[in-house]
Amino acid sequence: MTAINERTISVVSPLTGESAGSVPVTEPSDVAAIVAKSRETFETWGMLSPQDRRPLIRSLTRTVVKNMERIADVIVSETGKDRGDAHAEVVLALTTMDYVARTMRKALRPIKGGSWPFLVTRGWTEYHPIGVAGVISPWNYPFYLPMLSVIQALAAGCSVVLKPSEVAPHSGGIIGDLAVEAGLPDGVVTVIHGYGDTGAALVESADVIAFTGSTEVGRLIAQEAVGTFKPLILELGGKDAMIVLEDASLKDAARTAASFGTFNAGQTCVGVERVYVVDEVYDEFVDHVMDAMRSLNAGQGDRGDIGPMIDRRQVSVIESHVADAIDKGATIALGGKRHETADAVYYEPTVVLDVNHTMDVMHEETFGPVVPIMRVPDEATALHLANDSKYGLHGSVWTKDKRRGERIASRMKTGTVAVNDHLINFFYPTIKLGGIGDSGLGGVMSGDGIRAFCVHRSITEARFRPTTMVLGGWLPRRVGPRWWKFLARALFGWRR
Ligand code: NAD
């Protein structure tokens, strides 16, 4: 269901400058009623067992495979990204959808427990869907990211009201059509469109919020939800560091810095945003990065490795970071300029050297095809600088010594870290993904990702008589401090 009125959002292709369609705006004042309607659907959807919901999750997965071309068409038309990247985005969604379908029963199975150490009773934690999940998503992976939250919410038994980004509304909105085609009950997935005020109204009405987007808006959402104590899952911005040590495979590290520093034109939350290289191998590493970056071209056609930027506002952010770096003494070794065609605006693959932590390019999210590289004396400094950030989304460590890599990875203050790889965590639906610090709250993926959409209800059951009676604390009180002291010594006093 989509509430229709006169206001519409017109989408313009960043690649061709042509119209990519329009969507009706759902007015903020209509959102509460839409959420209430979704809650009615939840009453039946949420009552199904995970076993009964699973075939529909599977059906949605098959429907995505069937519609892959159509989905890619929409993504390309709204974001201008390379067609291959659009397909990759769909495959990424499928990996999580498949994993969720495969594991949802196990993830939602009650966990058994008991009182400790008095094994006189038993208990367990059950997972029940919270209600209506409000999913709010960004434009950079406009199909994959909303699907990630939608699929986990549906598996948990929540109904969903999805507000895709106003910049790429059809790419998220198509999830509503696919849900219908897959045979999900009417109204289990409702799509609304709009700007920040529509999103804010959804935050107010829904029972749990899964937001992916900027730190700035994540902070607003935390404020909007204040006082309600409703669960928030916030996947926010990042400034991901790459650490390159003297024993790294320099060519692999350099090619990865170039690929994932420019992937999706650098508009990737877990892209390579800054690199720290130990002195010994700095020059060689920079040479490899330069080779790799020189082989990339920003533009269209066969030599278009880096697509257009989403809009001019984003280009201004990149330009201000690069200008600030130059002002403070940095050297632009490659690129450093926008170039415009009649329809689109591109940013050249850019390498920035002689950088330091006073520069925006080293501590603010640049979100462009820019790789700043900093020379550091040793591992300890690299780790210290990597951790010197308000963000804590992702990072990577490069060394051939696996033990060393694991040790450093464990000390990086981020939600995910890759050893001898970067960005790859999105292909690991088996383990948790989420940021810390200004990069977010909670997380998605793994069983935890599904359970994030659940009320965790712990139930205890007396085995013989009420536990307090067995312990002697029941009325009439027969025990006093001496009994409790005896118990403390007997049970815990001797433990090593
Ligand atoms: P954005 O924060 O501007 O917008 C995201 C969504 O929030 C949009 O749908 C928007 O309409 C909505 N919104 C805006 N104001 C709102 C409000 N007050 N209340 C509720 N909703 C509101 O982000 P963007 O520009 O679309 O995306 C880029 C950002 O997303 C980058 O910072 C990037 O790092 C981040 N991101 C993070 C991840 C992650 O997994 N951590 C993934 C992708 C993107």
Side-chain angles (χ1 to χ4, degrees):
M1 174 185 37
T2 304
I4 298 179
N5 68 9
E6 283 123 52
R7 280 212 297 159
T8 56
I9 296 171
S10 302
V11 189
V12 176
S13 161
L15 189 62
T16 62
E18 285 166 10
S19 166
S22 64
V23 291
V25 167
T26 304
E27 291 302 334
S29 53
D30 293 332
V31 173
I34 292 169
V35 170
K37 191 98 185 96
S38 176
R39 200 168 283 120
E40 281 171 23
T41 319
F42 162 70
E43 298 300 338
T44 46
W45 175 249
M47 288 303 285
L48 293 179
S49 68
Q51 172 85 5
D52 291 337
R53 283 194 297 270
R54 199 167 88 115
L56 290 156
I57 301 290
R58 280 262 181 248
S59 168
L60 185 54
T61 311
R62 286 193 302 273
T63 307
V64 169
V65 176
K66 212 167 91 193
N67 284 277
M68 196 155 170
E69 286 301 328
R70 182 179 151 216
I71 300 166
D73 283 345
V74 178
I75 297 173
V76 171
S77 74
E78 291 190 320
T79 63
K81 70 171 73 175
D82 175 74
R83 201 172 173 78
D85 291 355
H87 277 108
E89 189 176 331
V90 180
V91 172
L92 212 48
L94 287 167
T95 60
T96 302
M97 296 176 82
D98 183 58
Y99 181 74
V100 164
R102 190 176 276 268
T103 56
M104 56 187 280
R105 280 177 308 179
K106 188 168 172 229
L108 297 171
R109 207 174 281 156
I111 305 266
K112 285 187 188 150
S115 63
W116 182 262
F118 321 105
L119 294 168
V120 289
T121 182
R122 68 189 194 99
W124 62 93
T125 302
E126 294 176 354
Y127 302 102
H128 298 278
I130 292 176
V132 180
V135 175
I136 303 175
S137 55
W139 51 262
N140 60 338
Y141 293 90
F143 175 76
Y144 167 59
L145 290 169
M147 183 58 101
L148 195 63
S149 297
V150 166
I151 203 69
Q152 294 180 99
L154 290 176
C158 289
S159 60
V160 172
V161 176
L162 162 64
K163 194 206 87 62
S165 164
E166 61 273 35
V167 180
H170 297 97
S171 307
I174 200 170
I175 294 173
D177 302 343
L178 297 169
V180 171
E181 191 180 327
L184 267 78
D186 195 27
V188 167
V189 179
T190 306
V191 176
I192 60 174
H193 290 291
Y195 301 95
D197 52 355
T198 302
L202 182 56
V203 173
E204 199 182 319
S205 306
D207 304 314
V208 47
I209 302 299
F211 169 79
T212 313
S214 63
T215 299
E216 192 188 348
V217 173
R219 202 165 267 129
L220 284 177
I221 287 179
Q223 281 160 10
E224 284 156 12
V226 109
T228 67
F229 300 115
K230 66 182 68 174
L232 299 179
I233 304 157
L234 303 177
E235 301 286 335
L236 310 178
K239 187 73 193 171
D240 301 339
M242 179 188 230
I243 295 179
V244 183
L245 300 172
E246 69 289 345
D247 59 351
S249 167
L250 293 183
K251 229 173 178 179
D252 282 356
R255 291 174 73 90
T256 304
S259 303
F260 291 147
T262 62
F263 193 62
N264 201 25
Q267 302 167 125
T268 300
C269 53
V270 288
V272 176
E273 283 257 339
R274 53 197 169 117
V275 187
Y276 303 95
V277 190
V278 292
D279 192 30
E280 288 175 64
V281 292
Y282 175 86
D283 292 328
E284 197 184 334
F285 176 80
V286 169
D287 285 346
H288 287 308
V289 171
M290 292 293 285
D291 285 348
M293 292 287 275
R294 271 196 206 100
S295 75
L296 296 170
N297 186 48
Q300 291 175 39
D302 290 344
R303 291 244 38 234
D305 313 289
I306 300 176
M309 304 306 301
I310 195 73
D311 55 27
R312 282 176 171 71
R313 196 174 50 124
Q314 189 52 43
V315 179
S316 311
V317 173
I318 304 170
E319 285 175 340
S320 82
H321 286 194
V322 170
D324 171 75
I326 294 170
D327 271 0
K328 291 173 179 161
T331 311
I332 305 303
L334 187 75
K337 286 197 288 293
R338 71 161 81 185
H339 78 85
E340 298 196 36
T341 64
D343 309 311
V345 54
Y346 298 85
Y347 200 84
E348 292 176 348
T350 298
V351 179
V352 190
L353 304 178
D354 303 317
V355 288
N356 63 51
H357 270 218
T358 65
M359 299 172 183
D360 289 347
V361 80
M362 295 304 277
H363 56 78
E364 298 298 332
E365 189 177 48
T366 305
F367 231 49
V370 177
V371 180
I373 309 175
M374 184 166 174
R375 187 196 291 269
V376 293
D378 51 28
E379 173 194 312
T381 313
L383 181 62
H384 171 76
L385 290 171
N387 283 341
D388 177 27
S389 175
K390 60 188 174 186
Y391 292 109
L393 193 56
H394 182 62
S396 62
V397 189
W398 293 78
T399 165
K400 282 188 190 138
D401 178 345
K402 286 214 169 111
R403 277 273 170 81
R404 188 183 186 196
E406 289 162 15
R407 177 173 50 77
I408 297 169
S410 295
R411 294 171 61 200
M412 282 184 74
K413 294 182 181 163
T414 53
T416 60
V417 189
V419 180
N420 295 328
D421 219 328
H422 198 97
L423 181 145
I424 205 67
N425 296 63
F426 280 99
F427 275 104
Y428 284 72
T430 49
I431 52 180
K432 199 170 172 184
L433 183 141
I436 57 174
D438 276 9
S439 292
L441 204 64
V444 288
M445 314 267 228
S446 80
D448 286 345
I450 300 175
R451 289 188 289 268
F453 292 92
C454 293
V455 172
H456 298 203
R457 180 164 300 125
S458 290
I459 299 177
T460 63
E461 188 179 70
R463 259 199 188 140
F464 313 108
R465 303 186 66 196
T467 312
T468 39
M469 271 192 178
V470 179
L471 288 180
W474 197 242
L475 294 174
R477 280 179 181 274
R478 282 187 232 105
V479 297
R482 282 177 61 190
W483 162 249
W484 293 114
K485 278 191 217 159
F486 163 75
L487 215 55
R489 272 196 302 271
L491 291 170
F492 313 111
W494 51 274
R495 291 190 199 270
R496 303 225 166 262

